[in-house]
Amino acid sequence: MSTLYTHDNQTKKYDVVVIGSGLGGLVSAVILAKEGKKVVVLEKNNQYGGNLQTFVRDKTIFDTGVHYIGGLNKGENLYNYFDYLNIADKLKLQQLDKDGFDIISFDDDENEYPIAQTYQNFVAQLTKFFPEEEENLIKYSRKLEDLCSEFPMYNLNIGTFEDEETLLSINAKQYIDSVFTNERLKAVLVGNNFLYVGQSQKTPLYVHALSVNSYIHSAWRCVNGGSQIAKLLIKELKKYNGEIYKYQEIDTFLQDEEENVIGCQAKNGRQFFGDLFISNINIKTTIEMLGESKFGKPFSRRIKSLEVTPSTFTVYVVFKPETFPYINHNIYHFNSIDDVWDTFEKKVDDWPNTYIATFGMDMKNKAFSEAMTIMTYMTFEEVEQWQDTYNVDVNENSGNRGETYEEFKERKAQLIINKLEKKYPNFKDKIKSVHTSSPLSYRDFIGSERGNMYGYLKDSNHPMKTFISSRSKVKNLFFTGQNVRVHGVLGVTVGAFVTCCQILGASYLMNKVNEEIKSKHE
């Protein structure tokens, strides 16, 4: 919704108004505040950070979305971006097992296949299981690195693709099938595709490459959760006199007589005026607030037609003290190699056909796990009957979803725990408490459409359809977040720098970034 408004000169005005405090919004805000701009960030919920949020159950910290991060060794891409934001050396991190940060396993196979850190080690560890594929693993590794090098901002450079559409249209499964002959190895190589929702007919190779490359360089777990990233960014924002407010759900844009966007209004009536606006919320919602005519019908139709990724059902287990050993890697487990691609679309009797497990260390005794997070795919259709209920206090329909919803979650949780009991005998005996979340939780607390994990599904058949520019048709409105370019901590951080390049100038900003990083380490 948009409203005609005559601006009062006495009302406070900002240079930049950022709507949404997810990672993209916070990074954009810090970059621009660092440039001396008067910046405000607006968040609709109680907690800042979007997917960076953490929560506590049974005195134990759990992550909402950031379960591990790549590229944080000194000099690597995410480290350098975070270094410019002045948070890289302040993060509390635990490096995952270098010989296997992800372990891929199957019901019908006693082997556990490692995805190791550094490409040399990555090849060496998998060659132990697939010696005849060593040369192909080397070829594949070079392809991933070469492909990532084609994305200038991924490597803190400026520039454009030589042949953008061709590069983006390479299909991941088709490429892997063309290189390897061993079907089990093919499954292992994409066994962690929960990171990007692997679809055999759609997933582009660049999405696969950008998703796994930084982890292969180095993989890390956030000690006490990923919310530290948001807290550190907010601290930096305030250092540069930026402002940030919660409980400010924007539902209206304000326009002057020439229909220029001059402000926005929250549901509580509070108004914020500015010269530039950055939307870190759902692009479809932004279009609805301003009207399709502002963005052009072709763009609006394209955005409306985009398919979002599925959501997740998550079980959060708190262990009895000193009962479950600490595991310094993540587990991706499947019923069989046939379940690796298109997993969320397959209806199986033996649900779930895959699960992903991550572990939280007991800081009092680091030999043991304090907690375990287990995720699997779930579509919004499974919880659609409760879609009119909300668990956030900023929504007028907030409240308990009812007994049937709790029974649904408990039933699903038990199916997952039964699977874990097969892999870890006596698993149930070590559980202190069990907690759950569904697609509705993601929708309410993250604000993602239908509770989706990673924004719009990328499609190698239509590569440019989901490649969204951070500069909108509205001259002073920009987009950022996981719906722009690539998802994930690294992808969204890069995307925020892309957004700010549009505002400040790419040469100016990236030269400044590289010069500052260089001067810090001379």
Side-chain angles (χ1 to χ4, degrees):
M1 178 181 176
S2 60
T3 302
L4 181 65
Y5 188 89
T6 303
H7 184 247
D8 181 350
N9 290 330
Q10 301 302 311
T11 306
K12 186 172 183 178
K13 185 180 177 185
Y14 298 91
D15 296 318
V16 184
V17 178
V18 180
I19 303 169
S21 73
L23 178 62
L26 290 176
V27 170
S28 299
V30 172
I31 295 167
L32 296 170
K34 196 172 177 178
E35 290 295 313
K37 297 190 180 296
K38 188 185 293 184
V39 180
V40 65
V41 179
L42 309 174
E43 169 56 46
K44 73 170 185 174
N45 287 332
N46 174 57
Q47 191 176 160
Y48 301 118
N51 266 315
L52 297 173
Q53 293 178 55
T54 54
F55 60 94
V56 176
R57 294 291 183 271
D58 204 353
K59 300 179 181 178
T60 304
I61 297 172
F62 289 97
D63 271 298
T64 299
V66 179
H67 299 99
Y68 61 126
I69 311 175
L72 279 175
N73 257 335
K74 282 191 177 180
E76 291 177 354
N77 51 8
L78 185 58
Y79 181 92
N80 284 338
Y81 276 117
F82 278 3
D83 197 22
Y84 179 75
L85 298 167
N86 201 32
I87 69 171
D89 59 350
K90 298 180 178 71
L91 294 169
K92 295 178 181 177
L93 303 168
Q94 161 82 27
Q95 187 162 17
L96 294 171
D97 191 334
K98 292 181 181 180
D99 289 336
F101 63 91
D102 285 344
I103 297 295
I104 317 300
S105 58
F106 308 92
D107 269 353
D108 59 354
D109 187 346
E110 62 182 17
N111 290 320
E112 293 189 324
Y113 301 96
I115 307 297
Q117 296 178 57
T118 79
Y119 275 103
Q120 184 179 357
N121 197 23
F122 168 82
V123 171
Q125 294 299 328
L126 287 176
T127 298
K128 293 176 183 178
F129 296 93
F130 308 99
E132 74 286 357
E133 296 273 23
E134 182 176 14
E135 288 303 314
N136 290 332
L137 283 164
I138 293 170
K139 177 183 176 182
Y140 164 82
S141 299
R142 287 174 180 159
K143 180 67 173 181
L144 294 194
E145 292 216 275
D146 288 346
L147 191 53
C148 290
S149 71
E150 294 286 340
F151 289 76
M153 291 289 287
Y154 185 82
N155 302 288
L156 284 84
N157 297 319
I158 54 175
T160 56
F161 300 111
E162 288 187 13
D163 191 352
E164 186 174 68
E165 192 155 356
T166 299
L167 188 73
L168 303 181
S169 64
I170 304 170
N171 178 272
K173 185 177 187 300
Q174 288 175 10
Y175 173 77
I176 290 169
D177 284 344
S178 74
V179 175
F180 300 98
T181 57
N182 188 296
E183 294 300 324
R184 192 161 296 272
L185 176 56
K186 292 179 188 179
V188 169
L189 292 173
V190 293
N192 55 5
N193 70 24
F194 195 88
L195 290 167
Y196 51 87
V197 185
Q199 290 186 293
S200 59
Q201 300 301 313
K202 293 183 178 181
T203 298
L205 184 61
Y206 84 89
V207 169
H208 169 73
L210 294 176
S211 297
V212 302
N213 179 69
S214 64
Y215 292 110
I216 292 175
H217 280 287
S218 67
W220 309 79
R221 187 167 284 155
C222 289
V223 177
N224 293 329
S227 61
Q228 59 180 296
I229 300 171
K231 290 171 184 173
L232 288 169
L233 288 169
I234 290 168
K235 189 175 180 180
E236 285 298 305
L237 175 65
K238 290 180 177 178
K239 185 173 85 176
Y240 295 108
N241 300 313
E243 299 173 26
I244 185 166
Y245 300 103
K246 60 179 70 172
Y247 297 124
Q248 302 300 322
E249 182 175 0
I250 301 303
D251 64 355
T252 305
F253 278 103
L254 306 173
Q255 301 180 64
D256 62 16
E257 292 179 352
E258 282 80 42
E259 294 191 351
N260 298 308
V261 177
I262 60 170
C264 56
Q265 180 171 300
K267 280 187 175 181
N268 61 15
R270 189 170 177 182
Q271 296 176 335
F272 300 86
F273 294 91
D275 293 325
L276 297 177
F277 298 83
I278 297 177
S279 174
N280 186 213
I281 61 174
N282 189 339
I283 296 175
K284 293 178 184 178
T285 303
T286 307
I287 291 172
E288 287 169 6
M289 282 196 284
L290 267 170
E292 290 184 12
S293 60
K294 282 283 187 181
F295 300 91
K297 287 187 177 180
F299 176 79
S300 298
R301 279 198 298 265
R302 174 161 70 96
I303 297 299
K304 277 187 173 182
S305 71
L306 294 178
E307 182 184 1
V308 294
T309 57
S311 188
T312 178
F313 182 81
T314 308
V315 176
Y316 308 94
V317 170
V318 179
F319 289 117
K320 295 173 184 175
E322 300 183 0
T323 59
F324 196 93
Y326 176 67
I327 296 177
N328 198 33
H329 58 248
N330 310 300
I331 292 166
Y332 289 79
H333 187 81
F334 298 87
N335 289 356
S336 74
I337 63 172
D338 296 329
D339 292 306
V340 172
W341 286 108
D342 309 311
T343 314
F344 78 93
E345 297 175 324
K346 293 175 179 173
K347 303 298 183 185
V348 292
D349 295 330
D350 191 18
W351 186 91
N353 51 349
T354 184
Y355 62 80
I356 298 85
T358 66
F359 300 86
M361 182 187 288
D362 183 344
M363 301 311 291
K364 294 176 183 176
N365 188 338
K366 296 182 179 181
F368 291 94
S369 292
E370 179 183 44
M372 182 179 186
T373 299
I374 312 101
M375 298 168 282
T376 191
Y377 290 114
M378 181 173 280
T379 60
F380 194 77
E381 281 75 16
E382 289 205 60
V383 294
E384 211 155 24
Q385 62 180 296
W386 302 286
Q387 67 178 328
D388 295 328
T389 64
Y390 294 83
N391 269 354
V392 287
D393 54 7
V394 295
N395 191 285
E396 59 189 18
N397 294 325
S398 69
N400 196 303
R401 300 194 203 276
E403 285 185 20
T404 55
Y405 177 70
E406 295 304 320
E407 289 168 359
F408 165 81
K409 290 201 299 176
E410 186 176 344
R411 187 167 63 252
K412 291 290 188 180
Q414 284 305 313
L415 290 172
I416 291 173
I417 289 169
N418 290 342
K419 289 269 188 176
L420 289 159
E421 182 77 16
K422 292 179 183 178
K423 191 171 182 67
Y424 303 106
N426 303 314
F427 179 81
K428 294 178 182 178
D429 296 337
K430 299 169 183 178
I431 296 174
K432 182 184 177 187
S433 61
V434 175
H435 314 273
T436 56
S437 69
S438 79
L440 293 172
S441 312
Y442 265 73
R443 180 201 66 180
D444 290 358
F445 292 99
I446 308 300
S448 59
E449 179 185 352
R450 297 171 69 83
N452 77 82
M453 288 188 288
Y454 304 133
Y456 302 129
L457 272 171
K458 303 292 190 289
D459 188 348
S460 58
N461 303 296
H462 307 284
M464 302 309 295
K465 190 175 181 180
T466 55
F467 221 63
I468 297 164
S469 171
S470 54
R471 180 184 288 276
S472 83
K473 297 269 188 182
V474 180
K475 66 180 180 181
N476 62 338
L477 174 67
F478 298 82
F479 300 125
T480 196
Q482 69 176 7
N483 286 322
V484 180
R485 303 300 171 102
V486 185
H487 65 273
V489 173
L490 175 57
V492 171
T493 299
V494 172
F497 276 83
V498 170
T499 299
C500 292
C501 280
Q502 294 279 1
I503 295 169
L504 300 169
S507 295
Y508 168 80
L509 177 58
M510 295 313 295
N511 286 337
K512 186 173 182 180
V513 169
N514 284 294
E515 285 171 10
E516 186 170 317
I517 291 168
K518 184 180 177 181
S519 67
K520 278 186 177 183
H521 301 287
E522 283 181 344

